[in-house]
Amino acid sequence: MFCLLKFKPSCSAFLTSGKYNSAIDVILAAIKLLEQQQDIYQGRLQEIQRDAQIGQQASERGEVVDGATAMAQIRANLRSRDRE
């Protein structure tokens, strides 16, 4: 199978920089970066899902505050961090 790739001038700079030996090296590095980003995304997604579950369980136990109170607590925490 033969595939012809045409790089934009901005992408060609990767080849002429000397960091990569061939176009395939650039593509492999890009694929590796995409895989790393997907891993980060999946990890963050799992954290958010876990946090949502914790919040739901707290809500079911009645351990919640209204939005205005929550925002006041967040602002107070931010102000105390700024003073540190």
Side-chain angles (χ1 to χ4, degrees):
M1 178 184 205
F2 177 76
C3 182
L4 178 64
L5 298 174
K6 183 175 180 180
F7 287 97
K8 292 181 181 180
S10 59
C11 295
S12 296
F14 287 108
L15 293 172
T16 59
S17 71
K19 183 175 181 179
Y20 301 97
N21 295 321
S22 66
I24 213 60
D25 289 343
V26 173
I27 293 167
L28 291 173
I31 290 170
K32 182 177 180 180
L33 181 60
L34 285 172
E35 288 172 342
Q36 289 172 347
Q37 287 178 336
Q38 288 175 344
D39 290 345
I40 291 168
Y41 171 80
Q42 285 300 318
R44 185 66 185 123
L45 178 61
Q46 290 173 354
E47 288 175 14
I48 292 169
Q49 289 172 333
R50 191 171 39 253
D51 290 346
Q53 185 177 17
I54 290 168
Q56 181 182 6
Q57 291 168 348
S59 176
E60 290 168 355
R61 292 188 303 267
E63 301 171 354
V64 294
V65 295
D66 64 89
T69 303
M71 290 305 297
Q73 290 172 347
I74 291 169
R75 287 185 186 106
N77 288 339
L78 289 173
R79 281 193 295 273
S80 69
R81 280 191 204 166
D82 289 341
R83 289 185 208 126
E84 294 177 0

